[in-house]
Amino acid sequence: MAEQHTPRSLIVSLYGAYGRTPDGSPMPVAALIRLLAVLGVDAPSVRSSVSRLKRRGLLLPGRTADGAAGYALSDDARRLLDDGDRRIYARTEPKLSEGWVLAVFSVPEAERHKRHLLRSRLARLGFGTAAPGVWIAPARLYDETRNALERLELSPYVDLFRGDHLGYAATAGAVARWWDLPAIARLHEDFLAAHEPVLRAWRAAPTGADAPGDTAAPGDAEAAYRDYLLVLDSWRRLPYADPVLPAELLPDDWPGRRSAEVFTALHELLRDRGAEFVRPFLSGAGTGG
């Protein structure tokens, strides 16, 4: 099945990859429109998606140094992107000895809408379900979980614990109950089907030959930007759906290892080349006025 890249998700990926300026300056609206057009997103879709992100408090209207209209990241948005970086670009191999974090919650019936919000947020953070009202994740997710629950004002309903799994079932067997490992594996397989051919094409094509994509040559900054933003937009969801469990708890043929290798390779090949294409738009030189 073809991947779905929504305009709103692509805008978040664009800001995450290239829009965090040191001085917090806005990205020009004209730049957003031109950069998203490369990915097939039309101007009305960009504007409506920006409006939704503005209503959520993630983008703030402002003016660039030359007076153009633009949008900057809010403090909350920067924190979310910074938290995301620690997952998206993680390189360390998880260890079983690090233990687990448990989230145990109880929500009054009168506030049951918060129960749904809690469950959905914990699932989005990568938690599995150990028992009704008891959620589990690798211990390294503790700080991010605490920050997320406080940001959403859900912390009064939750107790957090850290510890080891002491039985009775083998931990690998328990993990297979806590998470839907076949569903997570399919997400990795879909990612590989979409992006492993892109990596092969970039590696195989010599300079000056036809590149991945429709028209650009290898080293072409526009092609690098387009392919990088698409792979980033696909990948950045996976470290949340997949808690990245220690290798000894996963099947030997676990596809998450290969998908992480493919993303890392494409990141190293394309991110900086893509920045060469983006840079003139952020300065106003590439927007046509």
Side-chain angles (χ1 to χ4, degrees), residues 33-289:
I33 289 171
R34 291 289 296 276
L35 289 168
L36 270 295
V38 173
L39 299 158
V41 181
D42 59 29
S45 296
V46 173
R47 293 184 185 279
S48 63
S49 297
V50 165
S51 294
R52 285 193 290 272
L53 291 168
K54 178 185 171 184
R55 287 196 295 272
R56 288 179 56 193
L58 299 177
L59 293 180
L60 303 174
R63 292 282 171 179
T64 65
D66 61 2
Y71 285 90
L73 291 164
S74 68
D75 289 342
D76 275 351
R78 280 183 173 269
R79 280 192 291 270
L80 287 169
L81 291 174
D82 290 345
D83 283 346
D85 285 352
R86 285 186 279 275
R87 295 235 194 166
I88 293 166
Y89 304 108
R91 297 288 187 273
T92 56
E93 188 72 25
K95 296 180 175 61
L96 186 56
S97 60
E98 294 169 356
W100 306 92
V101 58
L102 289 175
V104 180
F105 65 82
S106 177
V107 180
E109 184 62 24
E111 298 179 278
R112 58 182 177 273
H113 65 285
K114 292 187 177 179
R115 190 180 307 144
H116 171 73
L117 181 57
L118 256 171
R119 289 171 178 155
S120 63
R121 177 55 58 175
L122 290 171
R124 287 176 61 186
L125 286 166
F127 276 71
T129 309
V134 181
W135 292 63
I136 188 167
R140 69 179 183 281
L141 302 185
Y142 165 74
D143 288 333
E144 185 181 350
T145 300
R146 188 181 186 95
N147 291 341
L149 295 176
E150 289 174 356
R151 187 167 56 244
L152 294 170
E153 299 181 350
L154 294 171
S155 53
Y157 307 97
V158 184
D159 284 306
L160 298 174
F161 303 86
R162 294 182 69 166
D164 301 320
H165 178 241
L166 301 177
Y168 294 93
T171 304
V175 159
R177 296 195 310 272
W178 299 338
W179 283 276
D180 187 346
L181 294 181
I184 296 171
R186 285 192 295 272
L187 294 176
H188 285 293
E189 289 161 357
D190 289 345
F191 176 88
L192 288 167
H195 298 288
E196 196 165 26
V198 177
L199 176 61
R200 287 197 297 266
W202 276 96
R203 282 176 166 170
T207 301
D210 290 341
D214 297 329
T215 59
D220 179 278
E222 180 178 342
Y225 157 75
R226 181 191 62 238
D227 287 347
Y228 181 63
L229 209 68
L230 290 174
V231 73
L232 176 62
D233 195 59
S234 297
W235 175 257
R236 67 183 181 85
R237 301 172 180 85
L238 268 171
Y240 290 92
D242 180 353
V244 191
L245 299 168
E248 57 263 47
L249 301 180
L250 295 168
D252 291 339
D253 60 350
W254 183 248
R257 302 184 188 98
R258 178 59 186 158
S259 66
E261 292 169 359
V262 167
F263 172 73
T264 298
L266 283 169
H267 171 73
E268 292 172 352
L269 274 172
L270 303 181
R271 196 272 173 193
D272 290 345
R273 295 189 208 184
E276 296 172 9
F277 178 71
V278 173
R279 198 171 296 117
F281 292 92
L282 300 186
S283 68
T287 58

